[in-house]
């Protein structure tokens, strides 16, 4: 059988890797205060996979035989576990459903092509048979971009790109790298790093997501301030379409009508199967540091981030958490780790800050990253330090930044840990102009709290700013509440709807980097206008008239 490794069918990450709170003494009281959940209460036992009623495969013998001939018997499977793993992504909605055995439609077969030639064979066989093709990368999507429509009567093929996992070429003169679409984030950086290069793209899902998935969903990374979003990074792309290849050459810029490259980016598999991307890469910087800062308020943190974005500074990371997220960050640290607002080592600093008039309950933690030569980094740090001090902030130093760097990919494990114990937690993110950010923040926070009141639950919402641009920034919200078991999905939808509608009403977008999928499609028309939806519908309808490629995604 194929050697491609997948995440747990019921949660994030690989089997054997999980979160625990016992070495984090502040977390239990924090969660108890935030959502009324006692982490010392044992987790609910996980349902056994053997107890799931996995629907039988509907694949016909003729199509199955043809697919097996195309990619090999070892790389074609109708195994129940494989098909369930390829049914959903990793959103809260996905996990609630799969853990409840809610599997109205699963892929009928999973195929693992070895190269672009085999992808072409699979696509042509599927289209000829009027089957559905759903491209699959790492399975980390949280927008409903992977699941088959519940009423889909045709055979459904999950086309797993996990064997297309190589760096093919680096054009050192141009800093362009050709990379196969199924390459996971760590493998991208390892293969590039062996040659002295970096892509610089580090989304939260980095460990378990692929470069093709990043392109298909218009991903952003933690260092996008310096390296750009994936739409800035991808210069060329190869896409398998029925009977032909779509090839966008990696030129620096072009005036060739509406951008086909832009059509592919964010298309979520609806225009074909991305097999290869050519991306801009950079030499590994000589020096890299992430520093921690502390602001007296969220408002001062936002103002400082805006000023940094239009200054001569060019940091790789600009991030500031609101007071709620700051409290959560401190609560998840081990007793011996770094700076803590209430830690013994910081009592002197606390006294100084209180003397300055700080309300420590409103303090906001920030991280700013710097890369380049030592001289460049030193100059950038000086510019940022001056701006932060002008907004009342202070420098905490390298300790908090180093901890942030170590733990930046761990948050999904905390989400699963809470879900095991009866709390629903998930994320929603948006982007808006600087002039609208505070209003977006205020309105979303109020909407979530109103939703909690409507449900009669004790909920929590927190936020950080990331991905700064000249004109605005991304706001990334995390929300949590104790769920009601059988009604958890309905409760989640109430909160999610309130947050998403607030994004639109306050002047933000439905998603900055998580994609549309099915989770956000209800707000697409409000976001891009009815005429915009008409254009997208026309494109997808013309390119895929029988809806063979990942139907039901993006359009409401």
């Amino acid at each position: 059988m194929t050697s491609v490794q997948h995440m747990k069918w019921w949660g994030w990450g690989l089997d054997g890797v999980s979160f625990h709170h016992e070495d984090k003494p502040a977390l239990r009281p924090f969660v108890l205060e935030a959502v009324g959940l006692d982490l010392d209460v044992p987790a609910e036992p996980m349902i056994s996979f053997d107890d799931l009623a996995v629907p039988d495969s509907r694949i016909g013998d003729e199509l199955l035989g043809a697919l097996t001939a195309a990619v090999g018997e070892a790389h074609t499977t109708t195994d129940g576990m494989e098909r369930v793993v390829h049914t959903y992504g990793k959103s809260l909605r996905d996990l609630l459903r799969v853990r409840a055995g809610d599997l109205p439609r699963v892929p009928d077969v999973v195929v693992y092509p070895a190269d672009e030639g085999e992808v072409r064979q699979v696509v042509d066989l599927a289209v000829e048979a009027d089957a559905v093709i759903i491209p699959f990368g790492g399975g980390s999507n949280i927008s409903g971009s992977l699941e088959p429509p519940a009423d889909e009567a045709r055979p459904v093929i999950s086309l797993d790109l996990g064997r297309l996992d190589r760096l093919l070429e680096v054009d050192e003169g141009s800093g362009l790298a050709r990379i196969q679409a199924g390459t996971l984030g760590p493998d991208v950086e390892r293969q590039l790093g062996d040659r002295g290069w970096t892509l610089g793209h580090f989304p939260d899902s980095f460990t378990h997501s692929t470069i093709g998935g990043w392109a298909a969903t218009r991903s952003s990374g933690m260092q996008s301030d310096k390296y750009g979003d994936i739409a800035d990074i991808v210069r060329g792309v190869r896409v398998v379409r029925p009977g032909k290849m779509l090839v966008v050459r990696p030129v620096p810029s072009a005036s060739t009508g509406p951008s086909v490259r832009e059509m592919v980016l964010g298309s979520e598999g609806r225009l074909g199967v991305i097999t290869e991307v050519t991306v801009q890469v950079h030499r590994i910087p000589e020096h890299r540091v992430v520093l921690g800062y502390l602001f007296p308020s969220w408002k001062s943190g936002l103002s400082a981030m805006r000023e940094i974005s239009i200054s001569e500074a060019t940091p790789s990371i600009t991030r500031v958490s609101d007071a709620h997220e700051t409290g959560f960050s401190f609560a998840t640290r081990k007793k011996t780790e770094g700076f803590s607002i209430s830690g013994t080592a910081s009592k002197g600093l606390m006294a100084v800050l209180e003397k300055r008039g700080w309300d420590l309950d409103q303090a906001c933690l920030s991280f700013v990253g710097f890369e380049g030569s030592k001289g460049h980094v030193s100059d950038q740090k000086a510019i940022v330090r001056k701006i932060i001090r002008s907004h009342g902030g202070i420098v905490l130093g390298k300790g908090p930044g180093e901890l942030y760097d170590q733990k930046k990919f761990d948050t999904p494990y905390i989400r699963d840990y809470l879900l095991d114990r009866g709390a629903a937690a998930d994320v929603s993110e948006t982007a808006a102009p600087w002039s609208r950010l505070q209003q977006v923040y205020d309105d979303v926070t109020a909407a979530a709290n109103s939703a909690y009141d409507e449900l009669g639950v004790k909920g929590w919402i927190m936020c950080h700013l990331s991905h700064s641009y000249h004109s605005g920034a991304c706001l990334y919200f995390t929300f949590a509440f104790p769920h009601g078991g059988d009604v958890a999905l309905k409760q989640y939808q109430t909160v999610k709807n309130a947050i998403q509608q607030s994004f639109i009403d306050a002047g933000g977008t439905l998603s900055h980097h998580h994609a549309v999928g099915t989770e956000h499609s209800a707000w697409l028309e409000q976001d891009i206008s009815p005429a915009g939806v008409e254009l997208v519908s026309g494109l997808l309808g013309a390119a895929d008239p029988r809806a063979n490629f990942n139907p039901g995604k993006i359009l409401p």
Side-chain angles (χ1 to χ4, degrees):
M1 192 55 206
T2 181
S3 60
V4 176
Q5 196 172 30
H6 297 108
M7 288 190 279
K8 309 160 186 168
W9 66 269
W10 52 268
W12 186 264
L14 303 178
D15 280 320
V17 182
S18 60
F19 176 86
H20 59 93
H21 80 277
E22 288 77 12
D23 60 343
K24 304 167 187 69
L27 185 59
R28 177 175 176 264
F30 179 91
V31 172
L32 193 60
E33 173 66 23
V35 296
L37 183 73
D38 188 348
L39 295 183
D40 280 348
V41 174
E44 289 293 320
M46 182 62 59
I47 183 174
S48 168
F49 184 83
D50 293 336
D51 293 333
L52 294 185
V54 182
D56 293 335
S57 172
R58 305 181 191 178
I59 193 78
D61 291 342
E62 183 177 352
L63 180 55
L64 180 61
L67 293 171
T68 302
V71 304
E73 186 174 354
H75 308 297
T76 310
T77 181
T78 57
D79 173 74
M81 174 74 82
E82 286 270 349
R83 292 165 53 227
V84 168
V85 165
H86 287 77
T87 298
Y88 292 131
K90 297 300 181 185
S91 71
L92 178 68
R93 175 194 296 280
D94 295 332
L95 297 188
L96 285 170
R97 286 181 295 172
V98 75
R99 290 177 178 213
D102 182 8
L103 299 165
R105 190 70 173 96
V106 300
D108 298 301
V109 61
V110 182
V111 297
Y112 295 88
D115 53 34
E116 185 175 274
E118 290 189 1
V119 174
R120 295 186 69 171
Q121 291 183 63
V122 171
V123 166
D124 289 345
L125 287 168
V127 172
E128 183 181 0
D130 193 23
V132 166
I133 309 154
I134 302 179
F136 189 96
S140 64
N141 181 267
I142 61 171
S143 299
S145 301
L146 293 175
E147 63 188 87
D151 59 354
E152 182 56 71
R154 298 172 294 177
V156 176
I157 302 165
S158 180
L159 197 161
D160 192 307
L161 293 155
R163 294 174 69 203
L164 280 73
D165 61 356
R166 291 184 296 120
L167 167 64
L168 299 175
E169 177 188 13
V170 177
D171 175 352
E172 302 214 353
S174 304
L176 294 172
R178 293 175 51 219
I179 306 176
Q180 291 181 309
T183 312
L184 290 165
D187 295 327
V188 169
E189 284 300 314
R190 176 181 55 79
Q191 294 180 63
L192 284 171
D194 288 344
R195 304 190 191 192
W197 297 89
T198 180
L199 186 67
H201 192 73
F202 299 98
D204 289 355
S205 61
F206 173 78
T207 309
H208 299 290
S209 56
T210 63
I211 194 167
W214 301 341
T217 56
R218 296 187 71 95
S219 168
S220 284
M222 297 177 187
Q223 297 182 180
S224 291
D225 285 35
K226 173 179 173 67
Y227 296 100
D229 301 328
I230 201 68
D232 303 306
I233 293 170
V234 171
R235 307 314 312 152
V237 65
R238 293 179 64 86
V239 183
V240 174
R241 292 194 30 80
K244 64 193 72 169
M245 288 296 304
L246 167 60
V247 180
V248 177
R249 297 182 299 149
V251 295
S253 187
S255 178
T256 51
S259 172
V260 176
R261 183 183 68 91
E262 283 287 330
M263 293 177 192
V264 172
L265 295 171
S267 60
E268 302 185 33
R270 294 218 55 183
L271 295 177
V273 181
I274 298 171
T275 56
E276 181 185 312
V277 293
T278 301
V279 290
Q280 191 74 60
V281 294
H282 304 263
R283 284 296 183 186
I284 295 173
E286 173 191 343
H287 190 55
R288 180 177 184 275
V289 64
V290 179
L291 296 183
Y293 303 86
L294 198 67
F295 288 98
S297 68
W298 172 246
K299 184 178 180 180
S300 63
L302 285 188
S303 297
M305 294 303 111
R306 177 189 175 277
E307 189 170 339
I308 291 170
S309 76
I310 59 175
S311 73
E312 293 181 349
T314 56
S316 58
I317 300 166
T318 52
R319 175 173 173 140
V320 61
S321 297
D322 71 356
H324 273 191
E325 188 170 281
T326 297
F328 174 77
S329 296
F330 291 143
T332 58
R333 295 187 175 183
K334 296 179 182 179
K335 189 173 183 179
T336 58
E337 284 180 342
F339 177 85
S340 168
I341 279 285
S342 58
T344 302
S346 62
K347 285 184 178 179
L349 175 60
M350 288 173 60
V352 171
L353 296 180
E354 288 178 331
K355 197 170 183 179
R356 290 188 189 177
W358 282 41
D359 177 354
L360 294 178
D361 289 336
Q362 297 302 312
C364 293
L365 184 62
S366 172
F367 299 106
V368 180
F370 307 91
E371 293 186 359
S373 68
K374 288 190 176 181
H376 176 78
V377 167
S378 179
D379 291 343
Q380 300 299 298
K381 286 164 56 178
I383 294 171
V384 168
R385 181 172 61 249
K386 182 177 180 181
I387 292 172
I388 286 177
R389 285 179 174 173
S390 73
H391 290 275
I394 62 169
V395 182
L396 298 178
K398 294 182 182 179
E402 289 171 351
L403 286 174
Y404 162 78
D405 240 10
Q406 293 168 14
K407 299 181 177 184
K408 58 191 175 187
F409 304 130
D410 292 350
T411 304
Y413 292 102
I414 303 176
R415 187 267 316 262
D416 289 0
Y417 183 82
L418 293 174
L419 184 57
D420 295 342
R421 286 155 180 78
D426 213 356
V427 295
S428 280
E429 35 70 61
T430 187
W434 289 111
S435 59
R436 301 295 302 167
L437 281 184
Q438 184 66 53
Q439 191 67 54
V440 172
Y441 174 82
D442 291 341
D443 288 0
V444 171
T445 302
N449 287 324
S450 293
Y452 296 144
D453 290 343
E454 178 185 339
L455 296 174
V457 299
K458 187 174 185 179
W460 181 262
I461 185 164
M462 60 189 186
C463 177
H464 66 258
L465 174 149
S466 60
H467 312 296
S468 294
Y469 306 90
H470 196 81
S471 62
C474 167
L475 291 182
Y476 195 107
F477 292 86
T478 301
F479 57 96
F481 58 92
H483 68 71
D486 292 343
V487 296
L489 266 177
K490 184 177 179 181
Q491 291 175 316
Y492 164 77
Q493 197 61 60
T494 296
V495 180
K496 177 74 173 181
N497 285 357
I499 290 172
Q500 290 295 137
Q501 191 60 52
S502 291
F503 288 165
I504 299 296
D505 292 345
T509 182
L510 61 83
S511 174
H512 172 258
H513 58 266
H514 284 163
V516 182
T518 57
E519 191 88 351
H520 302 133
S521 60
W523 293 274
L524 187 64
E525 184 172 289
Q526 296 180 68
D527 197 329
I528 67 172
S529 81
V533 171
E534 185 180 325
L535 280 175
V536 174
S537 179
L539 168 64
L540 299 180
D544 183 26
R546 294 195 296 174
N548 297 115
F549 290 100
N550 206 12
K553 313 310 185 297
I554 301 177
L555 293 174

